[in-house]
């Protein structure tokens, strides 16, 4: 009984947001185009680095580009769907979260649907085009497995990024002025996935690659697509584990979120 | 209202010092945000530093004239300087234009450009003590930083950071001034973000770009003067004469952007309509 009206309410929130933001047409398109150009620069940066060096951590420019392109798709998908959650710290600081708690809807979907930014879809399109272009350039030997992987890996990666976005936003429940703290793991995670994990120092790699699961976003799937063995000696089967990592990531994020909401005491004003 | 020429008059120096002190203290109150920012800069330091060391390793030790330790210093000093020159997210003036609060800035006996500049220098001073120092300490502990060989480098680098802050302020001020015409400056901000991320030398050292681009960037745009310049002075890329020429370019741009700010400010004041006044 409760399910259906809620779905309608969420859809109404979403449609209202899309309509509101597309009203200012010039501003909307300028935003959509320029923010996808900004994220394209991450890929351009990889190419610029290869002007100064023939190889990065033992990987060629094509191999690195594939890693970066996979990471870029995963991040842009997560950013488009839940990236706006980082506005939550403003909701907490100004006390507006209180009114969200009073409504008969979940706070998380309210934030996700109510702040949905359709301009971020420009980035998704851009990153998919870059991935397609890269795949045409490197021309991997296609098998059914690899075809499945090239679709499944960015989706699983997006789920991992989305979990980090949600878990990171909860820091504001404890530290109201936490500012850019979560960016270290969301945008930092994006930067991490753009390059082969073999270039990072040991303990740092352990935290980001395995602790937060970022190695499974782009690096291992790219190795399988390229048919290259991991220079760090991990078994080839890890390439297929991204969805298995995504599930506990979601569960952990959901748990942290619940604890955070319960902990919320309002800023009082 | 508004005094057109921002040259010092009696008491200006004392006012400026008070404003700078206020800027310093104001930012010293946001302690949680400062810690969070320093933490994030540090994480990005690790990320960028690993990439740069991989580049140096792949290039056989020297990449575009930088040795490994110089690249390490480039990354950590760059992360520290980010907050000092405040590359991102300064919309104070444009917000005040939109709300109409800017009128009280115009009533003050000091020129707005000078008022905002001195407050910004105070903010930068606080950032030097905290946001600049924190990542640098972590970088020094975790990696081998390049230590300048020439004693003269230290005062030159400090001057260069000061000039970088002034250039950055001038560009940010001009970006904000567009609010007098546009009210909503989001589009301009995105364009500034693009330039700030790539053309200042934050994403990669500008020397990685083709040779023919270099003079266009350094002489034709203020962006390298904001980040790449102080870093290049500090890691002693080139001779002492080269350091001085970098500083000269920065001072030229500092004068240019401040002059432009004063000029545009004069035009903007004629456009001002205080909303709901």
């Amino acid at each position: 009984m409760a399910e259906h009206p809620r779905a309608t309410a969420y859809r109404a929130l979403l449609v209202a947001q899309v309509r509101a933001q597309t009203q200012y047409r010039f501003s909307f398109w300028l935003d959509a185009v320029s923010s996808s150009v900004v994220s394209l620069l991450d890929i351009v940066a990889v190419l610029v680095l290869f002007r100064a060096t023939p190889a990065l951590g033992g990987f060629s420019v094509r191999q690195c580009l594939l890693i970066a392109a996979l990471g870029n798709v995963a991040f842009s998908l997560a950013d488009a769907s839940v990236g706006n959650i980082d506005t939550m710290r403003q909701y907490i600081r100004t006390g507006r979260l209180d009114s969200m708690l009073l409504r008969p809807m979940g706070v998380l979907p309210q934030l996700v649907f109510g702040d949905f930014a359709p301009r971020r879809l420009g980035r998704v399109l851009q990153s998919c085009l870059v991935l397609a272009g890269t795949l045409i350039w490197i021309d991997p030997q296609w098998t059914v497995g690899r075809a499945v992987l090239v679709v499944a890996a960015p989706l699983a990666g997006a789920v991992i990024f989305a979990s980090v976005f949600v878990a990171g936003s909860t820091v504001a429940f404890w530290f109201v002025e936490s500012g850019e703290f979560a960016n270290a793991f969301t945008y930092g995670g994006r930067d991490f996935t753009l390059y082969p994990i073999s270039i990072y120092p040991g303990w740092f790699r352990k935290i980001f690659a395995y602790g937060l699961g970022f190695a499974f976003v782009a690096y291992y799937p790219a190795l399988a697509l390229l048919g290259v063995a991991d220079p760090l000696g991990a078994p080839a089967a890890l390439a297929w584990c991204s969805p298995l990592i995504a599930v506990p990531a979601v569960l952990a994020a959901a748990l942290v979120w619940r604890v955070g909401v319960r902990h919320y005491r309002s800023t009082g004003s | 209202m508004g005094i057109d020429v921002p040259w010092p008059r009696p008491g200006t120096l004392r006012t400026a010092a008070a404003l700078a002190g206020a800027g310093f203290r104001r930012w010293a109150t946001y302690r949680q945000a400062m810690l969070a920012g320093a933490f994030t800069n540090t994480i990005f330091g690790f990320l960028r530093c690993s990439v740069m060391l991989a580049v140096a390793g792949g290039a056989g030790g020297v990449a575009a004239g930088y040795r490994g330790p110089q690249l390490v210093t480039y990354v950590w000093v760059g992360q520290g300087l980010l907050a000092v020159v405040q590359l991102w997210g300064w919309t104070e003036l444009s917000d005040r234009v939109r709300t109409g609060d800017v009128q009280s800035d115009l009533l003050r006996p000091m020129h707005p450009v000078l008022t905002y500049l001195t407050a910004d220098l105070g903010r930068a001073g606080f950032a030097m003590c905290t946001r600049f120092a924190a990542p640098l300490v972590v970088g020094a502990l975790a990696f081998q930083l390049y230590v300048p060989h020439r004693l003269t480098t230290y005062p030159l680098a400090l001057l260069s950071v000061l000039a970088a802050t002034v250039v950055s302020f001038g560009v940010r001020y001009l970006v904000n001034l567009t609010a007098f015409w546009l009210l909503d400056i989001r589009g301009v901000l995105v364009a500034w973000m693009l330039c700030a991320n790539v053309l200042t030398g934050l994403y990669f050292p500008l020397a990685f770009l083709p040779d023919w681009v270099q003079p266009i960037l350094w002489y034709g745009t203020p962006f390298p003067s904001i980040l790449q310049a102080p870093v290049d002075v500090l890691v002693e890329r080139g001779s002492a004469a080269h350091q001085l020429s970098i500083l000269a370019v920065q001072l030229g741009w500092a004068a240019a952007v401040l002059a432009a700010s004063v000029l545009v400010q004069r035009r903007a004041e004629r456009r001002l309509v205080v909303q709901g006044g």
Side-chain angles (χ1 to χ4, degrees):
Chain A
M1 181 198 97
E3 221 33 54
H4 186 248
R6 262 198 203 183
T8 321
Y10 292 141
R11 198 173 53 241
L13 267 177
L14 190 69
V15 171
Q17 267 303 313
V18 173
R19 281 191 48 179
Q21 290 179 36
T22 46
Q23 288 301 305
Y24 302 92
R25 244 171 249 171
F26 177 73
S27 182
F28 172 78
W29 285 111
L30 188 71
D31 245 11
V33 171
S34 45
S35 63
S36 65
V37 171
V38 170
S39 74
L40 189 63
L41 287 175
D42 290 329
I43 302 291
V44 175
V46 176
L47 294 175
V48 171
L49 294 184
F50 273 95
R51 283 185 46 83
T53 175
L56 208 59
F59 289 84
S60 71
V61 60
R62 290 180 183 207
Q63 295 169 328
C64 277
L65 206 59
L66 179 64
I67 296 174
L70 281 171
N72 202 19
V73 174
F75 181 82
S76 66
L77 279 171
D79 188 47
S81 44
V82 299
N84 48 23
I85 193 97
D86 62 10
T87 56
M88 195 183 70
R89 60 174 194 262
Q90 269 108 37
Y91 281 90
I92 291 182
R93 198 159 48 83
T94 56
R96 273 184 294 165
L97 197 74
D98 295 11
S99 63
M100 292 193 147
L101 285 163
L102 291 174
R103 294 179 197 146
M105 297 195 252
V107 176
L108 190 57
Q110 279 188 68
L111 281 164
V112 168
F113 293 118
D115 272 338
F116 180 71
R119 66 192 158 79
R120 289 185 168 161
L121 293 175
R123 251 186 224 194
V124 176
L125 182 69
Q126 169 264 324
S127 64
C128 290
L129 288 176
V130 169
L131 179 61
T134 310
L135 286 169
I136 291 170
W137 189 32
I138 61 170
D139 194 22
Q141 291 176 319
W142 286 108
T143 60
V144 177
R146 282 180 177 166
V148 173
L149 191 65
V150 90
V151 177
L155 290 176
V159 174
I160 294 173
F161 268 124
S163 310
V164 174
F165 263 115
V166 171
S169 72
T170 61
V171 176
F173 283 123
W174 286 276
F175 302 102
V176 176
E177 293 287 349
S178 61
E180 307 156 29
F181 179 82
N183 291 3
F185 302 102
T186 52
Y187 294 94
R190 178 199 57 190
D191 275 27
F192 184 88
T193 57
L194 292 177
Y195 299 97
I197 64 167
S198 52
I199 67 169
Y200 301 105
W203 61 271
F204 187 79
R205 177 172 64 224
K206 277 182 193 129
I207 296 173
F208 270 79
Y210 308 114
L212 297 167
F214 287 129
F216 298 89
V217 171
Y219 180 69
Y220 288 129
L223 289 182
L225 284 171
L226 294 163
V228 176
D230 182 13
L232 298 169
L238 278 185
W240 302 92
C241 293
S242 305
L244 296 179
I245 302 300
V247 174
V250 169
L251 293 178
L255 183 71
V256 174
W257 174 264
R258 271 168 182 268
V259 174
V261 173
R262 296 251 165 90
H263 183 275
Y264 179 64
R265 294 280 177 278
S266 182
T267 45
S269 50
Chain B
M1 68 168 164
I3 292 156
D4 270 336
V5 186
W7 300 121
R9 29 188 74 237
T12 300
L13 210 62
R14 211 173 332 128
T15 317
L19 278 169
F24 188 101
R25 281 195 306 280
R26 173 184 168 198
W27 287 84
T29 52
Y30 305 138
R31 253 168 256 151
Q32 243 182 47
M34 186 271 290
L35 280 174
F39 174 80
T40 306
N41 290 150
T42 306
I43 294 292
F44 274 90
F46 274 107
L47 288 164
R48 297 253 154 89
C49 195
S50 310
V51 173
M52 285 303 147
L53 284 175
V55 169
V62 185
Y66 296 94
R67 303 190 162 280
Q70 285 176 312
L71 284 173
V72 172
T73 304
Y74 153 80
V75 168
W76 290 99
V77 168
Q79 286 300 315
L81 279 180
L82 261 183
V84 176
V85 301
Q86 204 181 20
L87 213 49
W88 298 319
W90 188 70
T91 56
E92 198 176 328
L93 178 65
S94 73
D95 291 341
R96 289 173 73 81
V97 172
R98 211 181 30 188
T99 56
D101 289 344
V102 72
Q103 53 154 332
S104 59
D105 296 343
L106 302 177
L107 294 173
R108 291 189 186 123
M110 206 157 124
H111 195 280
V113 173
L114 204 57
T115 315
Y116 277 96
L117 174 64
T118 44
D120 199 58
L121 289 177
R123 179 203 56 74
F126 175 70
M128 272 303 269
C129 303
T130 51
R131 295 284 298 269
F132 179 77
L136 205 60
V137 168
V138 176
L141 290 174
F143 295 91
Q144 192 202 340
L145 289 180
Y146 176 83
V147 181
H149 295 314
R150 298 190 288 266
L151 268 180
T152 48
T153 296
Y154 292 96
L156 284 178
L158 257 178
L159 261 177
S160 182
V161 170
L162 182 67
T165 309
V166 174
V167 176
S168 161
F169 165 80
V171 178
R172 283 183 279 124
Y173 197 87
L174 283 169
V175 166
N176 273 257
L177 277 181
T178 60
F180 278 102
W181 286 268
L182 303 173
L183 285 181
D184 181 79
I185 65 161
R186 249 178 301 177
V188 188
L189 274 181
V190 174
W192 157 235
M193 277 275 289
L194 261 172
C195 300
N197 285 349
V198 179
L199 303 182
T200 58
L202 176 69
Y203 270 29
F204 43 75
L206 294 176
F208 284 12
L209 292 170
D211 284 337
W212 61 268
V213 184
Q214 305 295 332
I216 303 176
L217 280 180
W218 283 87
Y219 302 122
T221 78
F223 306 115
S225 297
I226 294 173
L227 207 71
Q228 191 71 59
V231 174
D232 276 357
V233 169
L234 191 68
V235 302
E236 298 177 331
R237 192 169 184 273
S239 60
H242 182 63
Q243 289 175 314
L244 287 175
S245 70
I246 292 178
L247 204 58
V249 171
Q250 281 188 290
L251 292 177
W253 272 113
V257 291
L258 283 186
S261 297
V262 173
L263 276 174
V264 178
Q265 171 86 33
R266 199 175 300 163
R267 298 288 294 271
E269 282 169 15
R270 295 203 194 118
R271 291 230 14 133
L272 177 67
V273 177
V274 175
Q275 312 282 331

